[in-house]
Amino acid sequence: MTETTVGIGGAAESTDMVLNIGPQHPSTHGVLRLRLVLDGERIRHAEPIIGYMHRGAEKLFEARDYRQIIVLANRHDWLSAFSNELGVVMAVERMLGMEVPERAVWTRTLLAELNRVLNHLMFLGSYPLELGGITPIFHAFQEREELQHLMEEVSGGRMHYMFNRVGGLKEDLPAGWLDRARATIATATSRMDVYDRLVLGNEIFRGRTRGVGVLSREAVHAYGVSGPIARASGVDFDLRRDEPYLAYGELGDTLRVVTRQEGDCLARFECLLEQTHNSLELADACLDRLAELPPGPINQRLPKVLKAPEGHTYAWTENPLGLNGYYLVSKGDKTPYRLKLRSASYNNIQALTELLPGTLVADMVSILGSLFFVVGDIDK
């Protein structure tokens, strides 16, 4: 078998074409590169090539103290900044054996769910856009703007919040914020049906996604895929329910683990949409609980120089895109000896080698967009 690379020579009937998508291409969400071997319009082999956005964050963790590493943690998945910070501070708190005040626990849970909604709204709007539907992105950004105002009022940041601290949060919620949050969440909830009608009710969208890019349960386990993508293939696992952290153990009546059995692009979108509905319900439940709590501290007082005891620990969280893991090794200094980050997008994107072969080039965009990844989260 011979191969012909596009742009170098002409392709005879007996040769395969090698096509590079990216690393700067509208269909690759940024600097992701896909090397495809084509047989006509059908993909025979697919290789995701990553690393164009690598910042060396894990190495930089080793040169920052435990307060400074938070600024590195919230940037790799820029749509899930609060959740990224959360995993790092939870790992440090576990190493220190530190108890976080109850008010901080519930506030963290609330903000984590609002951050999950912000993440999901971006994909709920951008995925139809990639398939030719421009209207949903305007609805998504309308809701995102109003929720971003809430996060900005609390933290001062719109994307990189820097609101988590070892031992709790930077400061308490502003006066009157709970009432404003409740009104905003109610408004967002009332508008969510637009995706059911406008997107799921669109026969073109369903035709482009139903039965396309089917990911089996076996492939999910083989590649370590997690989050809505795994649950769309029938893998009934959600860390918030199965190994509760923060206040999720007390939200069992509200928390729903959304699954589908089909494992195709449509099932992945449906899981993401239904999970967004549930995150708004969880945020509402957190508001109810916070309204009942008496005034109290939002963080722990820390020494001027914070040092973690010698040892190692592992913390993991159910981030919006899937499982994030944080393996922290300390030698007793004020900086981590090693902080290994397991990001959801890195594992999820590897499934492309399983999903793309045998499909048409036209379906590549549908499949790629349905994996809901952020390139910075792949490269770290």
Side-chain angles (χ1 to χ4, degrees), residues 167-210:
L169 295 167
K170 176 186 174 186
E171 56 198 9
D172 209 342
L173 300 171
W177 186 88
L178 291 178
D179 293 333
R180 291 189 289 276
R182 193 180 298 279
T184 302
I185 291 170
T187 302
T189 302
S190 68
R191 294 173 179 168
M192 284 301 295
D193 70 316
V194 71
Y195 300 100
D196 296 294
R197 295 183 286 104
L198 192 63
V199 183
L200 290 180
N202 186 291
E203 62 183 41
I204 298 175
F205 179 83
R206 299 184 76 88
R208 290 290 306 275
T209 55
R210 186 193 284 117

mmCIF file of all heavy atoms in Angstrom, residues 167-210:
data_model
loop_
_atom_site.group_PDB
_atom_site.id
_atom_site.type_symbol
_atom_site.label_atom_id
_atom_site.label_comp_id
_atom_site.label_asym_id
_atom_site.label_seq_id
_atom_site.Cartn_x
_atom_site.Cartn_y
_atom_site.Cartn_z
ATOM 1 N N GLY A 167 -8.097 25.895 52.427
ATOM 2 C CA GLY A 167 -8.842 26.129 53.650
ATOM 3 C C GLY A 167 -10.192 26.776 53.447
ATOM 4 O O GLY A 167 -10.921 26.993 54.418
ATOM 5 N N GLY A 168 -10.559 27.083 52.194
ATOM 6 C CA GLY A 168 -11.864 27.689 51.962
ATOM 7 C C GLY A 168 -11.893 28.544 50.720
ATOM 8 O O GLY A 168 -11.408 28.154 49.665
ATOM 9 N N LEU A 169 -12.464 29.747 50.862
ATOM 10 C CA LEU A 169 -12.596 30.676 49.753
ATOM 11 C C LEU A 169 -11.973 32.014 50.112
ATOM 12 O O LEU A 169 -11.710 32.308 51.284
ATOM 13 C CB LEU A 169 -14.075 30.862 49.394
ATOM 14 C CG LEU A 169 -14.789 29.611 48.854
ATOM 15 C CD1 LEU A 169 -16.294 29.823 48.841
ATOM 16 C CD2 LEU A 169 -14.293 29.258 47.465
ATOM 17 N N LYS A 170 -11.757 32.830 49.114
ATOM 18 C CA LYS A 170 -11.088 34.115 49.322
ATOM 19 C C LYS A 170 -11.851 34.996 50.301
ATOM 20 O O LYS A 170 -11.269 35.600 51.209
ATOM 21 C CB LYS A 170 -10.947 34.826 47.973
ATOM 22 C CG LYS A 170 -10.342 36.216 48.055
ATOM 23 C CD LYS A 170 -10.378 36.886 46.691
ATOM 24 C CE LYS A 170 -9.906 38.337 46.784
ATOM 25 N NZ LYS A 170 -10.063 39.042 45.489
ATOM 26 N N GLU A 171 -13.175 35.084 50.124
ATOM 27 C CA GLU A 171 -13.998 35.922 51.000
ATOM 28 C C GLU A 171 -15.439 35.467 50.911
ATOM 29 O O GLU A 171 -15.787 34.626 50.078
ATOM 30 C CB GLU A 171 -13.872 37.402 50.601
ATOM 31 C CG GLU A 171 -14.224 37.662 49.153
ATOM 32 C CD GLU A 171 -13.709 38.996 48.647
ATOM 33 O OE1 GLU A 171 -12.939 39.633 49.396
ATOM 34 O OE2 GLU A 171 -14.068 39.379 47.532
ATOM 35 N N ASP A 172 -16.281 36.027 51.767
ATOM 36 C CA ASP A 172 -17.691 35.640 51.788
ATOM 37 C C ASP A 172 -18.437 36.249 50.606
ATOM 38 O O ASP A 172 -17.941 37.154 49.923
ATOM 39 C CB ASP A 172 -18.328 36.083 53.099
ATOM 40 C CG ASP A 172 -19.474 35.164 53.514
ATOM 41 O OD1 ASP A 172 -19.982 34.433 52.644
ATOM 42 O OD2 ASP A 172 -19.843 35.180 54.705
ATOM 43 N N LEU A 173 -19.639 35.756 50.392
ATOM 44 C CA LEU A 173 -20.464 36.236 49.295
ATOM 45 C C LEU A 173 -20.911 37.668 49.558
ATOM 46 O O LEU A 173 -21.165 38.051 50.706
ATOM 47 C CB LEU A 173 -21.686 35.336 49.131
ATOM 48 C CG LEU A 173 -21.383 33.857 48.820
ATOM 49 C CD1 LEU A 173 -22.666 33.035 48.899
ATOM 50 C CD2 LEU A 173 -20.744 33.720 47.450
ATOM 51 N N PRO A 174 -21.041 38.488 48.512
ATOM 52 C CA PRO A 174 -21.497 39.877 48.711
ATOM 53 C C PRO A 174 -22.923 39.926 49.263
ATOM 54 O O PRO A 174 -23.718 39.000 49.069
ATOM 55 C CB PRO A 174 -21.439 40.472 47.292
ATOM 56 C CG PRO A 174 -20.558 39.559 46.514
ATOM 57 C CD PRO A 174 -20.713 38.203 47.117
ATOM 58 N N ALA A 175 -23.261 41.018 49.921
ATOM 59 C CA ALA A 175 -24.606 41.201 50.480
ATOM 60 C C ALA A 175 -25.638 41.201 49.351
ATOM 61 O O ALA A 175 -25.458 41.886 48.334
ATOM 62 C CB ALA A 175 -24.674 42.512 51.262
ATOM 63 N N GLY A 176 -26.691 40.425 49.526
ATOM 64 C CA GLY A 176 -27.757 40.369 48.534
ATOM 65 C C GLY A 176 -27.483 39.462 47.354
ATOM 66 O O GLY A 176 -28.332 39.313 46.462
ATOM 67 N N TRP A 177 -26.297 38.840 47.330
ATOM 68 C CA TRP A 177 -25.924 38.024 46.163
ATOM 69 C C TRP A 177 -26.806 36.783 46.037
ATOM 70 O O TRP A 177 -27.144 36.366 44.925
ATOM 71 C CB TRP A 177 -24.449 37.615 46.273
ATOM 72 C CG TRP A 177 -23.943 36.894 45.064
ATOM 73 C CD1 TRP A 177 -23.410 37.447 43.938
ATOM 74 C CD2 TRP A 177 -23.905 35.468 44.868
ATOM 75 N NE1 TRP A 177 -23.050 36.464 43.048
ATOM 76 C CE2 TRP A 177 -23.333 35.243 43.593
ATOM 77 C CE3 TRP A 177 -24.279 34.369 45.635
ATOM 78 C CZ2 TRP A 177 -23.146 33.966 43.079
ATOM 79 C CZ3 TRP A 177 -24.105 33.096 45.123
ATOM 80 C CH2 TRP A 177 -23.542 32.907 43.851
ATOM 81 N N LEU A 178 -27.183 36.173 47.161
ATOM 82 C CA LEU A 178 -27.984 34.948 47.103
ATOM 83 C C LEU A 178 -29.318 35.193 46.390
ATOM 84 O O LEU A 178 -29.765 34.370 45.587
ATOM 85 C CB LEU A 178 -28.228 34.398 48.506
ATOM 86 C CG LEU A 178 -27.020 33.838 49.251
ATOM 87 C CD1 LEU A 178 -27.420 33.373 50.642
ATOM 88 C CD2 LEU A 178 -26.395 32.679 48.461
ATOM 89 N N ASP A 179 -29.948 36.337 46.655
ATOM 90 C CA ASP A 179 -31.222 36.659 46.003
ATOM 91 C C ASP A 179 -31.019 36.902 44.513
ATOM 92 O O ASP A 179 -31.828 36.463 43.685
ATOM 93 C CB ASP A 179 -31.857 37.888 46.652
ATOM 94 C CG ASP A 179 -32.303 37.619 48.084
ATOM 95 O OD1 ASP A 179 -32.603 36.438 48.392
ATOM 96 O OD2 ASP A 179 -32.314 38.554 48.891
ATOM 97 N N ARG A 180 -29.946 37.597 44.154
ATOM 98 C CA ARG A 180 -29.667 37.843 42.731
ATOM 99 C C ARG A 180 -29.353 36.536 42.020
ATOM 100 O O ARG A 180 -29.743 36.324 40.869
ATOM 101 C CB ARG A 180 -28.516 38.841 42.594
ATOM 102 C CG ARG A 180 -28.874 40.247 43.034
ATOM 103 C CD ARG A 180 -27.789 41.248 42.671
ATOM 104 N NE ARG A 180 -26.584 41.093 43.486
ATOM 105 C CZ ARG A 180 -26.415 41.632 44.685
ATOM 106 N NH1 ARG A 180 -27.401 42.329 45.250
ATOM 107 N NH2 ARG A 180 -25.286 41.479 45.346
ATOM 108 N N ALA A 181 -28.632 35.648 42.700
ATOM 109 C CA ALA A 181 -28.304 34.350 42.106
ATOM 110 C C ALA A 181 -29.571 33.528 41.875
ATOM 111 O O ALA A 181 -29.734 32.891 40.830
ATOM 112 C CB ALA A 181 -27.335 33.588 43.009
ATOM 113 N N ARG A 182 -30.476 33.547 42.838
ATOM 114 C CA ARG A 182 -31.704 32.770 42.700
ATOM 115 C C ARG A 182 -32.532 33.257 41.503
ATOM 116 O O ARG A 182 -33.072 32.461 40.735
ATOM 117 C CB ARG A 182 -32.533 32.865 43.985
ATOM 118 C CG ARG A 182 -33.665 31.854 44.056
ATOM 119 C CD ARG A 182 -34.449 32.001 45.355
ATOM 120 N NE ARG A 182 -33.645 31.745 46.527
ATOM 121 C CZ ARG A 182 -33.361 30.525 46.986
ATOM 122 N NH1 ARG A 182 -33.810 29.466 46.348
ATOM 123 N NH2 ARG A 182 -32.626 30.373 48.070
ATOM 124 N N ALA A 183 -32.600 34.578 41.334
ATOM 125 C CA ALA A 183 -33.357 35.133 40.209
ATOM 126 C C ALA A 183 -32.709 34.777 38.875
ATOM 127 O O ALA A 183 -33.395 34.426 37.908
ATOM 128 C CB ALA A 183 -33.475 36.647 40.364
ATOM 129 N N THR A 184 -31.380 34.842 38.816
ATOM 130 C CA THR A 184 -30.677 34.529 37.571
ATOM 131 C C THR A 184 -30.819 33.055 37.213
ATOM 132 O O THR A 184 -31.027 32.699 36.044
ATOM 133 C CB THR A 184 -29.186 34.892 37.705
ATOM 134 O OG1 THR A 184 -29.062 36.281 38.026
ATOM 135 C CG2 THR A 184 -28.437 34.617 36.410
ATOM 136 N N ILE A 185 -30.704 32.187 38.211
ATOM 137 C CA ILE A 185 -30.850 30.750 37.968
ATOM 138 C C ILE A 185 -32.266 30.421 37.503
ATOM 139 O O ILE A 185 -32.467 29.603 36.595
ATOM 140 C CB ILE A 185 -30.476 29.958 39.235
ATOM 141 C CG1 ILE A 185 -28.969 30.067 39.502
ATOM 142 C CG2 ILE A 185 -30.881 28.492 39.107
ATOM 143 C CD1 ILE A 185 -28.546 29.534 40.852
ATOM 144 N N ALA A 186 -33.250 31.063 38.098
ATOM 145 C CA ALA A 186 -34.642 30.838 37.683
ATOM 146 C C ALA A 186 -34.851 31.272 36.236
ATOM 147 O O ALA A 186 -35.527 30.574 35.458
ATOM 148 C CB ALA A 186 -35.590 31.596 38.609
ATOM 149 N N THR A 187 -34.265 32.396 35.859
ATOM 150 C CA THR A 187 -34.390 32.867 34.477
ATOM 151 C C THR A 187 -33.716 31.908 33.509
ATOM 152 O O THR A 187 -34.275 31.563 32.453
ATOM 153 C CB THR A 187 -33.777 34.270 34.341
ATOM 154 O OG1 THR A 187 -34.422 35.168 35.247
ATOM 155 C CG2 THR A 187 -33.929 34.790 32.927
ATOM 156 N N ALA A 188 -32.503 31.459 33.851
ATOM 157 C CA ALA A 188 -31.787 30.514 32.984
ATOM 158 C C ALA A 188 -32.552 29.208 32.839
ATOM 159 O O ALA A 188 -32.643 28.641 31.744
ATOM 160 C CB ALA A 188 -30.384 30.253 33.541
ATOM 161 N N THR A 189 -33.122 28.723 33.941
ATOM 162 C CA THR A 189 -33.890 27.479 33.901
ATOM 163 C C THR A 189 -35.101 27.606 32.980
ATOM 164 O O THR A 189 -35.412 26.689 32.207
ATOM 165 C CB THR A 189 -34.357 27.090 35.315
ATOM 166 O OG1 THR A 189 -33.207 26.963 36.170
ATOM 167 C CG2 THR A 189 -35.112 25.772 35.303
ATOM 168 N N SER A 190 -35.771 28.751 33.033
ATOM 169 C CA SER A 190 -36.972 28.940 32.213
ATOM 170 C C SER A 190 -36.662 28.999 30.727
ATOM 171 O O SER A 190 -37.547 28.772 29.899
ATOM 172 C CB SER A 190 -37.691 30.227 32.638
ATOM 173 O OG SER A 190 -36.923 31.373 32.315
ATOM 174 N N ARG A 191 -35.407 29.318 30.382
ATOM 175 C CA ARG A 191 -35.039 29.450 28.968
ATOM 176 C C ARG A 191 -34.368 28.209 28.397
ATOM 177 O O ARG A 191 -34.076 28.156 27.197
ATOM 178 C CB ARG A 191 -34.086 30.643 28.802
ATOM 179 C CG ARG A 191 -34.708 31.998 29.095
ATOM 180 C CD ARG A 191 -33.631 33.070 29.068
ATOM 181 N NE ARG A 191 -34.166 34.404 29.317
ATOM 182 C CZ ARG A 191 -33.397 35.465 29.581
ATOM 183 N NH1 ARG A 191 -32.081 35.333 29.630
ATOM 184 N NH2 ARG A 191 -33.949 36.647 29.799
ATOM 185 N N MET A 192 -34.092 27.213 29.239
ATOM 186 C CA MET A 192 -33.339 26.052 28.769
ATOM 187 C C MET A 192 -34.105 25.208 27.745
ATOM 188 O O MET A 192 -33.510 24.460 26.987
ATOM 189 C CB MET A 192 -32.926 25.174 29.952
ATOM 190 C CG MET A 192 -31.760 25.719 30.752
ATOM 191 S SD MET A 192 -30.268 25.947 29.777
ATOM 192 C CE MET A 192 -29.906 24.261 29.350
ATOM 193 N N ASP A 193 -35.439 25.330 27.735
ATOM 194 C CA ASP A 193 -36.202 24.516 26.792
ATOM 195 C C ASP A 193 -35.935 24.902 25.351
ATOM 196 O O ASP A 193 -36.317 24.188 24.424
ATOM 197 C CB ASP A 193 -37.696 24.620 27.093
ATOM 198 C CG ASP A 193 -38.250 25.992 26.765
ATOM 199 O OD1 ASP A 193 -37.570 26.993 27.115
ATOM 200 O OD2 ASP A 193 -39.335 26.083 26.165
ATOM 201 N N VAL A 194 -35.256 26.045 25.132
ATOM 202 C CA VAL A 194 -34.953 26.455 23.760
ATOM 203 C C VAL A 194 -34.065 25.417 23.068
ATOM 204 O O VAL A 194 -34.173 25.206 21.850
ATOM 205 C CB VAL A 194 -34.288 27.846 23.751
ATOM 206 C CG1 VAL A 194 -32.867 27.796 24.289
ATOM 207 C CG2 VAL A 194 -34.274 28.420 22.342
ATOM 208 N N TYR A 195 -33.212 24.732 23.837
ATOM 209 C CA TYR A 195 -32.333 23.728 23.228
ATOM 210 C C TYR A 195 -33.117 22.462 22.876
ATOM 211 O O TYR A 195 -32.794 21.780 21.900
ATOM 212 C CB TYR A 195 -31.174 23.412 24.175
ATOM 213 C CG TYR A 195 -30.342 24.632 24.469
ATOM 214 C CD1 TYR A 195 -30.526 25.344 25.654
ATOM 215 C CD2 TYR A 195 -29.414 25.103 23.552
ATOM 216 C CE1 TYR A 195 -29.802 26.487 25.920
ATOM 217 C CE2 TYR A 195 -28.686 26.254 23.807
ATOM 218 C CZ TYR A 195 -28.878 26.939 24.990
ATOM 219 O OH TYR A 195 -28.169 28.081 25.228
ATOM 220 N N ASP A 196 -34.135 22.142 23.675
ATOM 221 C CA ASP A 196 -34.984 21.003 23.336
ATOM 222 C C ASP A 196 -35.738 21.270 22.040
ATOM 223 O O ASP A 196 -35.858 20.401 21.175
ATOM 224 C CB ASP A 196 -35.985 20.733 24.476
ATOM 225 C CG ASP A 196 -35.286 20.326 25.762
ATOM 226 O OD1 ASP A 196 -34.686 19.251 25.788
ATOM 227 O OD2 ASP A 196 -35.339 21.096 26.724
ATOM 228 N N ARG A 197 -36.263 22.487 21.904
ATOM 229 C CA ARG A 197 -37.076 22.809 20.728
ATOM 230 C C ARG A 197 -36.211 23.131 19.513
ATOM 231 O O ARG A 197 -36.426 22.604 18.425
ATOM 232 C CB ARG A 197 -37.981 23.996 21.029
ATOM 233 C CG ARG A 197 -39.033 23.716 22.103
ATOM 234 C CD ARG A 197 -39.959 24.904 22.303
ATOM 235 N NE ARG A 197 -39.291 25.997 23.016
ATOM 236 C CZ ARG A 197 -38.848 27.110 22.425
ATOM 237 N NH1 ARG A 197 -38.989 27.264 21.137
ATOM 238 N NH2 ARG A 197 -38.271 28.060 23.144
ATOM 239 N N LEU A 198 -35.214 23.990 19.729
ATOM 240 C CA LEU A 198 -34.445 24.534 18.613
ATOM 241 C C LEU A 198 -33.400 23.558 18.084
ATOM 242 O O LEU A 198 -33.124 23.515 16.880
ATOM 243 C CB LEU A 198 -33.764 25.834 19.049
ATOM 244 C CG LEU A 198 -33.144 26.711 17.965
ATOM 245 C CD1 LEU A 198 -34.218 27.210 17.017
ATOM 246 C CD2 LEU A 198 -32.437 27.897 18.602
ATOM 247 N N VAL A 199 -32.818 22.775 18.982
ATOM 248 C CA VAL A 199 -31.728 21.873 18.564
ATOM 249 C C VAL A 199 -32.219 20.428 18.453
ATOM 250 O O VAL A 199 -32.203 19.838 17.374
ATOM 251 C CB VAL A 199 -30.534 21.967 19.543
ATOM 252 C CG1 VAL A 199 -29.392 21.085 19.061
ATOM 253 C CG2 VAL A 199 -30.059 23.413 19.675
ATOM 254 N N LEU A 200 -32.679 19.867 19.567
ATOM 255 C CA LEU A 200 -33.105 18.471 19.530
ATOM 256 C C LEU A 200 -34.322 18.270 18.636
ATOM 257 O O LEU A 200 -34.529 17.178 18.098
ATOM 258 C CB LEU A 200 -33.409 17.973 20.946
ATOM 259 C CG LEU A 200 -32.194 17.793 21.856
ATOM 260 C CD1 LEU A 200 -32.627 17.297 23.228
ATOM 261 C CD2 LEU A 200 -31.184 16.834 21.248
ATOM 262 N N GLY A 201 -35.117 19.307 18.469
ATOM 263 C CA GLY A 201 -36.281 19.195 17.593
ATOM 264 C C GLY A 201 -35.982 19.441 16.127
ATOM 265 O O GLY A 201 -36.888 19.374 15.289
ATOM 266 N N ASN A 202 -34.721 19.702 15.815
ATOM 267 C CA ASN A 202 -34.324 19.992 14.432
ATOM 268 C C ASN A 202 -33.949 18.703 13.713
ATOM 269 O O ASN A 202 -33.037 17.995 14.134
ATOM 270 C CB ASN A 202 -33.137 20.969 14.438
ATOM 271 C CG ASN A 202 -32.763 21.433 13.045
ATOM 272 O OD1 ASN A 202 -32.272 20.653 12.244
ATOM 273 N ND2 ASN A 202 -32.987 22.704 12.780
ATOM 274 N N GLU A 203 -34.647 18.405 12.630
ATOM 275 C CA GLU A 203 -34.416 17.129 11.951
ATOM 276 C C GLU A 203 -33.047 17.063 11.282
ATOM 277 O O GLU A 203 -32.469 15.981 11.140
ATOM 278 C CB GLU A 203 -35.512 16.873 10.918
ATOM 279 C CG GLU A 203 -35.601 17.897 9.803
ATOM 280 C CD GLU A 203 -36.755 17.620 8.857
ATOM 281 O OE1 GLU A 203 -37.842 17.260 9.347
ATOM 282 O OE2 GLU A 203 -36.553 17.751 7.638
ATOM 283 N N ILE A 204 -32.500 18.205 10.891
ATOM 284 C CA ILE A 204 -31.162 18.210 10.287
ATOM 285 C C ILE A 204 -30.124 17.861 11.346
ATOM 286 O O ILE A 204 -29.216 17.041 11.113
ATOM 287 C CB ILE A 204 -30.854 19.577 9.650
ATOM 288 C CG1 ILE A 204 -31.838 19.870 8.524
ATOM 289 C CG2 ILE A 204 -29.413 19.606 9.129
ATOM 290 C CD1 ILE A 204 -31.682 21.248 7.921
ATOM 291 N N PHE A 205 -30.261 18.477 12.531
ATOM 292 C CA PHE A 205 -29.333 18.170 13.628
ATOM 293 C C PHE A 205 -29.398 16.690 13.984
ATOM 294 O O PHE A 205 -28.368 16.029 14.143
ATOM 295 C CB PHE A 205 -29.657 19.028 14.849
ATOM 296 C CG PHE A 205 -28.783 18.762 16.036
ATOM 297 C CD1 PHE A 205 -27.535 19.362 16.141
ATOM 298 C CD2 PHE A 205 -29.182 17.892 17.047
ATOM 299 C CE1 PHE A 205 -26.707 19.108 17.232
ATOM 300 C CE2 PHE A 205 -28.373 17.635 18.140
ATOM 301 C CZ PHE A 205 -27.133 18.245 18.224
ATOM 302 N N ARG A 206 -30.592 16.154 14.093
ATOM 303 C CA ARG A 206 -30.737 14.742 14.449
ATOM 304 C C ARG A 206 -30.192 13.845 13.343
ATOM 305 O O ARG A 206 -29.573 12.802 13.613
ATOM 306 C CB ARG A 206 -32.203 14.413 14.730
ATOM 307 C CG ARG A 206 -32.792 15.194 15.886
ATOM 308 C CD ARG A 206 -34.219 14.791 16.202
ATOM 309 N NE ARG A 206 -34.247 13.513 16.904
ATOM 310 C CZ ARG A 206 -34.157 13.382 18.214
ATOM 311 N NH1 ARG A 206 -34.023 14.449 18.976
ATOM 312 N NH2 ARG A 206 -34.210 12.194 18.792
ATOM 313 N N GLY A 207 -30.378 14.244 12.099
ATOM 314 C CA GLY A 207 -29.852 13.454 10.994
ATOM 315 C C GLY A 207 -28.335 13.428 10.948
ATOM 316 O O GLY A 207 -27.729 12.429 10.545
ATOM 317 N N ARG A 208 -27.708 14.531 11.391
ATOM 318 C CA ARG A 208 -26.246 14.601 11.385
ATOM 319 C C ARG A 208 -25.612 13.913 12.585
ATOM 320 O O ARG A 208 -24.390 13.683 12.608
ATOM 321 C CB ARG A 208 -25.789 16.071 11.391
ATOM 322 C CG ARG A 208 -26.039 16.846 10.120
ATOM 323 C CD ARG A 208 -25.167 16.400 8.965
ATOM 324 N NE ARG A 208 -23.754 16.419 9.272
ATOM 325 C CZ ARG A 208 -22.980 17.496 9.166
ATOM 326 N NH1 ARG A 208 -23.498 18.654 8.796
ATOM 327 N NH2 ARG A 208 -21.686 17.427 9.426
ATOM 328 N N THR A 209 -26.416 13.593 13.637
ATOM 329 C CA THR A 209 -25.829 13.090 14.881
ATOM 330 C C THR A 209 -26.321 11.703 15.295
ATOM 331 O O THR A 209 -25.603 10.986 15.981
ATOM 332 C CB THR A 209 -26.127 14.066 16.038
ATOM 333 O OG1 THR A 209 -27.552 14.285 16.134
ATOM 334 C CG2 THR A 209 -25.448 15.406 15.815
ATOM 335 N N ARG A 210 -27.522 11.317 14.898
ATOM 336 C CA ARG A 210 -28.045 10.019 15.331
ATOM 337 C C ARG A 210 -27.302 8.886 14.618
ATOM 338 O O ARG A 210 -27.181 8.859 13.397
ATOM 339 C CB ARG A 210 -29.541 9.892 15.032
ATOM 340 C CG ARG A 210 -30.145 8.603 15.601
ATOM 341 C CD ARG A 210 -31.521 8.307 15.053
ATOM 342 N NE ARG A 210 -32.531 9.164 15.653
ATOM 343 C CZ ARG A 210 -33.256 10.038 14.963
ATOM 344 N NH1 ARG A 210 -33.058 10.177 13.671
ATOM 345 N NH2 ARG A 210 -34.169 10.771 15.560
#
